[in-house]
Amino acid sequence: MRIRFYIHYKTTPGQGIYVCGSADFLGNWNPEQALPLNYAFDGEWSTEKEIQEDLPSIDYKYLLKDQKGNIIWEWGKNRNLDTGRYNKPDILLHEHWRSPSNEAKVMYSSAFQKAIMKPGKTLKAGYSTAKKVLEFRIQVPRIGTQYQLCVMGNHARLGNWSKTKPLLMGSHDHFPEWSASVSLQGFTMPVEYKYGIYDIRQGEVVTLEEGDNRRIDHLPESSSDFVHIRSDESFRYPLGNWKGAGVSVPVFSLRSERGFGVGDFTDLIDFIDWAKETGMKMVQILPVNETISSHNWLDSYPYKSISVMALHPIYMDIDKLGILEDKKLTKEFEVIKQELNGKTYVDYPEVLRHKSRYFKLIYDQQKETFFESEEFKSFFKENRDWLVPYAAFVYLRDQMKSADFRVWKKFSSYDAAAIEKMSTPGTPEWDDIAVHYYIQFHLDKQLREVAGYARKNGIVLKGDIPIGISPNSVEAWTLPHLFHLDVQAGAPPDAFALKGQNWGFPTYNWETMASDGYQWWRARLKKMADYFDAYRIDHILGFFRIWEIPSDAVEGVLGYFNPALPMSADEIREYGVHFDYERMVRPYIRHHLLPDLFGEFTEEVISKYLAPDGYEIYRLKKEFNTQAKINRHFLDGTVEEEMDDKTNRTRRMAPQDIHS
């Protein structure tokens, strides 16, 4: 068998084109051993290879090398040549370098290929088994259900430009690649053709690509049987770029009468139906990862997860777990359900408290058979790397009454062997740990069902990934080397937040993450891809630059960009700015400024919190010389919302709060 490679790509002097792939003669994906192509003229590169070995299928791609050893691969997935299907002594490949526009690349994402543009059932495509065959190939992801790609041209086998008799193309298992072939017997050159979109319902071509006809002036000479594969790129749409609309919604807001005081994953089904009816193409939801840290309203903030893998138990549809055998308990939960549904707001702590109780009861009822199910065994095997430490973390959180693992005594530092031992069936802790396997299994199952339903209905389910993690999280506990736990992430001051923002997240140790190829991020994104065909990364700028705040600061105004190029005091002076260290670096506390800040509380503030540092000059006492110390002093035993006006104003030390 002889394979001839031909590709059109214009290079610059010193550059060469190679083909690399899964066979020995293609270098087995080693670019240093790739098969070189020979340059002819005007961007034409070609080579041929006699193959003695039996190769039923070959994957390959083209690449560019220059004299300095730089390598650039063409864009996209591997090309495939099913040599066994053709059974010809000569295979002639005529191809083009793949480099679609950014707008076109989006169409190759799973959001379009698995949902919006997922092809439906197509009519039988045209394929020839003649001795000499011409095959057309093109990648077209943007087509939609109930449509099929086709070829129209100036020969009878191409329909003689008839909209009702084109050569229909099939995508087989290689969507978005479409192909069809015809016998070359009786063909005359040149062949002129275009690709079109065929409406299966109407039985005719409804969209013909714009521009000049594509053209084949001659075919390579071959005395033996052959297949000439003409691979084209870029369907020329006359309609411009695709446009679509979507809607963003928090799952907790999708409350229904059958729910339990909060929207859950199953409620997304009705919302997807609504989105489809209104012509929407995407439903984006807020983050749905586990955030339970303090078992109060603070846990309702969806961007501070204690696990980037685990789903939030509050979104469980408890009806899908089964019915409690105790009829009295069933009636009790029905009463609770009506009470929670009757509230005009989501009573977050109460919903979670009652759902957690239900989880434990139904788990105790089902645990004997649950762990023997093949479905659970498969889930556990696939997810055990994160599931075991997560379940242990949640167990310890509840036992220690805190998600701050630093106060967990012997468990303050993660010990994988100790956690594995504690998480073994038969231990005293087993049921309190394993119940979280049960919860996560069912959450995973329910959200996967929603994702499948969305795809089936042509709707993209889009997730939301927070840029940060909680400092009191499974990841901070098990993988502290991946984070800078001694600083906090936030945002600099702007028109919307004059003192900046402090999110309280540790920043990423990108250097350490890079050492293993960012495996933590890869695993995180792969897990989210189980449910979402697209996702938003909150504050994605944080991948490149983050506003980093010292751990002893509370307000974002005390932060700085990392990475950044700082300026020295001398550089600042060179710009004509008088640099006063005392005023610009240290807290500037002068007596004449204090009455405007504290009014009638001035003398009390001086007495309690300040120490003299010169005539009418003060500094903060040691026990109050950072924002974190001040916060701990004023928030000791109370929460900000319950603080009296005087105490809160003194803590914040802001004139607008005194004289508002």
Side-chain angles (χ1 to χ4, degrees):
M1 179 177 63
R2 180 172 59 171
I3 301 177
R4 302 187 194 181
F5 295 93
Y6 171 93
I7 187 169
H8 185 269
Y9 186 68
K10 291 188 176 182
T11 58
T12 60
Q15 295 177 330
I17 300 295
Y18 298 74
V19 59
C20 191
S22 60
D24 288 341
F25 76 97
L26 296 178
N28 284 315
W29 293 115
N30 181 352
E32 299 302 322
Q33 298 178 15
L35 181 66
L37 275 69
N38 303 308
Y39 181 71
F41 63 93
D42 195 30
E44 294 185 0
W45 297 80
S46 64
T47 190
E48 61 180 59
K49 195 74 175 178
E50 289 283 350
I51 311 299
Q52 304 300 326
E53 56 190 311
D54 183 22
L55 295 172
S57 180
I58 300 172
D59 289 332
Y60 65 99
K61 286 181 80 170
Y62 293 97
L63 60 93
L64 179 149
K65 291 185 190 179
D66 64 19
Q67 293 175 330
K68 295 181 180 179
N70 297 314
I71 295 174
I72 300 175
W73 293 84
E74 65 173 340
W75 185 86
K77 294 181 179 180
N78 299 336
R79 299 174 185 262
N80 176 265
L81 180 61
D82 188 353
T83 54
R85 180 167 70 89
Y86 297 111
N87 194 27
K88 307 284 188 200
D90 259 4
I91 298 177
L92 318 173
L93 300 168
H94 187 287
E95 300 178 302
H96 296 269
W97 181 273
R98 287 179 177 167
S99 182
S101 65
N102 289 333
E103 293 81 5
K105 287 178 181 177
V106 173
M107 297 292 159
Y108 290 85
S109 66
S110 62
F112 286 91
Q113 294 195 19
K114 292 183 179 180
I116 298 174
M117 301 295 177
K118 184 178 181 180
K121 186 177 181 180
T122 56
L123 302 177
K124 186 177 180 180
Y127 289 100
S128 174
T129 58
K131 293 183 177 181
K132 299 183 188 297
V133 172
L134 171 61
E135 178 172 307
F136 297 93
R137 285 187 184 181
I138 188 171
Q139 298 232 352
V140 182
R142 178 184 161 190
I143 188 167
T145 57
Q146 296 181 327
Y147 294 94
Q148 188 168 353
L149 211 70
C150 65
V151 187
M152 296 174 62
N154 61 349
H155 285 266
R157 295 189 183 95
L158 302 180
N160 280 324
W161 297 109
S162 169
K163 289 187 175 182
T164 59
K165 298 179 181 179
L167 175 65
L168 297 179
M169 306 181 78
S171 59
H172 300 294
D173 297 325
H174 298 291
F175 180 79
E177 183 175 86
W178 299 82
S179 63
S181 61
V182 293
S183 169
L184 281 169
Q185 183 178 0
F187 254 68
T188 56
M189 295 294 132
V191 177
E192 293 192 12
Y193 65 99
K194 279 187 175 182
Y195 294 100
I197 296 176
Y198 183 85
D199 188 321
I200 297 171
R201 295 164 299 184
Q202 296 184 29
E204 66 177 17
V205 176
V206 291
T207 300
L208 189 64
E209 63 177 347
E210 63 183 6
D212 296 335
N213 294 341
R214 300 178 189 263
R215 185 181 175 101
I216 303 174
D217 289 310
H218 64 275
L219 295 174
E221 295 182 3
S222 177
S223 58
S224 60
D225 298 347
F226 69 86
V227 56
H228 178 77
I229 301 173
R230 187 83 176 191
S231 293
D232 292 304
E233 302 293 330
S234 302
F235 185 92
R236 304 188 298 253
Y237 290 96
L239 305 176
N241 292 329
W242 182 90
K243 294 181 179 180
V247 60
S248 178
V249 65
V251 176
F252 62 75
S253 70
L254 299 177
R255 298 175 61 184
S256 63
E257 292 181 357
R258 57 151 207 84
F260 204 83
V262 67
D264 58 42
F265 285 147
T266 305
D267 289 316
L268 280 164
I269 297 293
D270 289 340
F271 195 74
I272 288 167
D273 288 340
W274 172 83
K276 182 178 180 180
E277 289 176 9
T278 56
M280 298 284 185
K281 296 299 182 183
M282 178 179 288
V283 170
Q284 176 181 320
I285 59 177
L286 266 59
V288 289
N289 287 107
E290 157 86 274
T291 62
I292 304 169
S293 180
S294 52
H295 293 281
N296 58 33
W297 283 101
L298 296 176
D299 295 339
S300 63
Y301 180 54
Y303 289 91
K304 198 172 186 178
S305 61
I306 66 161
S307 169
V308 300
M309 298 294 202
L311 298 172
H312 204 306
I314 203 168
Y315 298 124
M316 180 86 81
D317 179 351
I318 62 175
D319 289 340
K320 282 184 168 290
L321 298 180
I323 300 173
L324 294 174
E325 295 171 354
D326 189 320
K327 302 301 181 185
K328 183 179 178 181
L329 283 172
T330 299
K331 290 182 180 179
E332 181 183 337
F333 275 99
E334 185 61 32
V335 172
I336 295 170
K337 170 183 174 180
Q338 297 304 322
E339 290 176 353
L340 293 172
N341 283 345
K343 296 186 177 185
T344 57
Y345 61 95
V346 175
D347 193 339
Y348 192 93
E350 284 298 292
V351 169
L352 194 56
R353 184 170 69 87
H354 291 298
K355 278 196 172 186
S356 296
R357 181 180 170 220
Y358 193 94
F359 297 152
K360 180 61 175 170
L361 290 168
I362 199 75
Y363 164 81
D364 288 340
Q365 184 176 299
Q366 298 177 359
K367 64 182 179 181
E368 296 302 324
T369 56
F370 172 73
F371 292 109
E372 296 303 315
S373 72
E374 293 302 319
E375 194 176 5
F376 169 75
K377 289 178 180 178
S378 176
F379 168 79
F380 187 77
K381 181 180 179 181
E382 184 177 341
N383 296 278
R384 79 176 324 277
D385 287 348
W386 67 264
L387 186 59
V388 171
Y390 159 77
F393 180 93
V394 174
Y395 162 73
L396 291 168
R397 173 201 67 193
D398 296 341
Q399 285 291 306
M400 306 295 182
K401 309 299 181 184
S402 173
D404 184 356
F405 53 85
R406 299 157 192 83
V407 301
W408 289 355
K409 299 178 181 178
K410 69 175 184 178
F411 291 108
S412 60
S413 294
Y414 178 68
D415 184 335
I419 295 302
E420 191 71 32
K421 183 179 180 180
M422 186 174 70
S423 305
T424 302
T427 60
E429 303 89 355
W430 167 248
D431 279 331
D432 290 329
I433 291 175
V435 66
H436 299 290
Y437 301 160
Y438 175 87
I439 293 169
Q440 289 301 315
F441 167 81
H442 283 288
L443 287 167
D444 176 86
K445 184 176 181 179
Q446 290 182 17
L447 189 51
R448 282 179 184 267
E449 288 176 356
V450 171
Y453 186 81
R455 293 186 188 113
K456 182 180 178 181
N457 285 274
I459 302 294
V460 177
L461 189 63
K462 182 180 179 182
D464 194 349
I465 300 177
I467 185 60
I469 64 165
S470 170
N472 301 326
S473 63
V474 183
E475 288 75 26
W477 182 47
T478 59
L479 301 165
H481 60 289
L482 297 182
F483 310 95
H484 295 302
L485 296 169
D486 56 343
V487 293
Q488 309 164 88
D494 58 24
F496 302 100
L498 297 179
K499 294 185 178 181
Q501 300 175 48
N502 184 352
W503 306 325
F505 306 146
T507 60
Y508 293 107
N509 187 338
W510 291 113
E511 292 77 11
T512 300
M513 286 185 164
S515 65
D516 67 357
Y518 304 96
Q519 288 303 311
W520 184 82
W521 270 105
R522 290 173 183 268
R524 183 181 184 183
L525 296 175
K526 182 180 179 182
K527 183 60 183 173
M528 290 298 98
D530 287 345
Y531 317 117
F532 307 116
D533 288 319
Y535 32 68
R536 166 187 177 265
I537 298 179
D538 181 50
H539 292 281
I540 194 170
L541 183 62
F543 273 73
F544 312 97
R545 184 186 69 176
I546 198 75
W547 186 254
E548 203 165 67
I549 305 163
S551 59
D552 60 9
V554 173
E555 296 170 343
V557 71
L558 295 179
Y560 45 83
F561 280 119
N562 185 15
L565 295 175
M567 296 178 69
S568 68
D570 288 339
E571 287 176 309
I572 293 174
R573 293 187 184 101
E574 288 175 3
Y575 279 93
V577 177
H578 174 63
F579 188 83
D580 185 337
Y581 182 87
E582 287 294 318
R583 185 152 193 165
M584 294 184 174
V585 177
R586 299 183 62 190
Y588 189 76
I589 308 174
R590 300 296 185 267
H591 192 279
H592 69 279
L593 299 174
L594 297 179
D596 285 341
L597 286 169
F598 302 107
E600 61 185 291
F601 311 134
T602 299
E603 293 305 319
E604 182 181 344
V605 168
I606 293 174
S607 172
K608 285 186 177 181
Y609 308 110
L610 303 180
D613 196 28
Y615 179 69
E616 293 194 340
I617 300 173
Y618 300 95
R619 54 179 166 76
L620 290 162
K621 290 182 178 179
K622 184 177 181 180
E623 57 268 38
F624 305 111
N625 62 3
T626 69
Q627 289 186 337
K629 289 179 180 180
I630 293 171
N631 243 20
R632 281 195 295 270
H633 170 74
F634 284 99
L635 296 178
D636 184 24
T638 186
V639 294
E640 186 172 355
E641 290 76 13
E642 298 174 358
M643 192 178 296
D644 65 75
D645 186 57
K646 172 189 172 183
T647 306
N648 194 30
R649 290 183 176 187
T650 304
R651 177 180 70 96
R652 295 171 66 182
M653 294 186 180
Q656 64 267 28
D657 296 325
I658 297 297
H659 301 294
S660 58

